[in-house]
Amino acid sequence: MTSPQQPEPSKQPEPSAVKGLAEGYAAKAGLHRTHDGRIDVLKSAGGIQGIAESIVPGLVFLIAFTITRDLTPSLVAALASAAVFTVVRLVQRRPLTQALAGVVGVGISAWLANTTGKAEDFYLPGFFTNTAYILAMVISIAIKWPVAGLLFGIIRNEGLDWRKDPARLKAYRLGTWIIVAVLVLRLIVQVPLYLMGEDGLAALATTRLIMGAPLYILGVWIAWLVTRPVPADADAPTSDHPPKPSSSGV
């Protein structure tokens, strides 16, 4: 009588494909670190020029519409301001990804506002983008691949080893929740202003500026601090539990 075949022990090889995706996304997201291993939050937000590219078109639209009360020239002005940044990057011979993404985003917003005839719809696509990020991050937390870990782990040279440490996984899940909270806060504040129509347009545009890059920078910085590794106790190493290698992150 043959004994039942024993299942082979499950192997958990290094998910290099996921690691590669994380590295690629971190690069595309523009995440950077300083020479001492800390996250460069301002540079990660695109630097001064990148922040300007994200807020100027919306600001130009608001100013133009406030002055003219005419939707078409206001939308043209917003598109023109976004196009200017693309030209500037061409002259500087810098990557066009962020500027082109900005032009596409402004173009979609302008098309929607022009189609509906409602100035407040210029800001509507941002709500859908924001919601998509929230869903993606919540899913990443649920499946134990929190976005904060994928991005910060690359910067800290942790790779994906943090997933093997329950404490690090918990920290990165918390860090991701912090970023989610920032995105949810945007919706809580801005959706009611959008529903007010033109009466809430100025307040909506203002909160979009304040809760855009500035709030993103604050959220990422807090998430970075909350997820920083706890230094290993170098005074009490054991053969079974050797001290962890020091991380380059804070």
Side-chain angles (χ1 to χ4, degrees):
M1 181 174 180
T2 59
S3 59
Q5 184 177 2
Q6 296 295 325
E8 296 182 0
S10 59
K11 298 180 180 180
Q12 295 185 349
E14 179 76 10
S16 56
V18 176
K19 183 177 179 181
L21 287 174
E23 291 174 343
Y25 184 79
K28 291 179 180 179
L31 292 176
H32 298 273
R33 58 181 173 183
T34 60
H35 66 280
D36 57 354
R38 300 173 184 269
I39 189 172
D40 190 332
V41 181
L42 179 60
K43 192 173 181 181
S44 297
I48 300 300
Q49 182 173 335
I51 293 174
E53 290 172 357
S54 67
I55 67 175
V56 167
L59 180 61
V60 168
F61 171 75
L62 175 63
I63 294 173
F65 187 77
T66 301
I67 295 173
T68 66
R69 309 306 298 182
D70 192 334
L71 190 56
T72 300
S74 303
L75 295 175
V76 171
L79 280 168
S81 66
V84 166
F85 285 113
T86 302
V87 174
V88 170
R89 283 185 175 260
L90 281 172
V91 172
Q92 296 173 335
R93 296 184 179 180
R94 297 180 61 186
L96 298 177
T97 305
Q98 184 170 353
L100 289 176
V103 171
V104 172
V106 174
I108 293 173
S109 298
W111 170 82
L112 182 61
N114 187 62
T115 300
T116 63
K118 298 179 180 179
E120 63 270 21
D121 282 348
F122 180 80
Y123 299 99
L124 184 58
F127 295 144
F128 294 106
T129 302
N130 204 79
T131 301
Y133 280 128
I134 291 173
L135 292 176
M137 290 190 182
V138 169
I139 291 173
S140 78
I141 294 170
I143 64 176
K144 298 183 179 181
W145 285 93
V147 169
L150 293 174
L151 300 182
F152 294 164
I154 298 300
I155 296 177
R156 287 178 169 136
N157 292 330
E158 291 178 293
L160 298 176
D161 290 341
W162 52 269
R163 297 194 70 250
K164 304 173 185 177
D165 184 342
R168 298 297 297 134
L169 176 59
K170 181 179 179 180
Y172 279 131
R173 293 178 82 176
L174 176 58
T176 306
W177 276 123
I178 290 173
I179 300 175
V180 169
V182 168
L183 301 178
V184 170
L185 181 60
R186 287 177 176 173
L187 295 179
I188 291 174
V189 173
Q190 295 172 14
V191 169
L193 296 175
Y194 166 79
L195 295 176
M196 292 173 61
E198 284 193 24
D199 292 337
L201 181 62
L204 173 60
T206 302
T207 55
R208 283 291 290 268
L209 297 178
I210 297 173
M211 303 182 77
L215 189 62
Y216 166 79
I217 290 173
L218 177 62
V220 169
W221 180 67
I222 294 175
W224 176 265
L225 294 180
V226 167
T227 59
R228 58 185 174 183
V230 177
D233 186 358
D235 297 331
T238 65
S239 58
D240 294 331
H241 301 283
K244 298 177 183 179
S246 60
S247 170
S248 61
V250 292

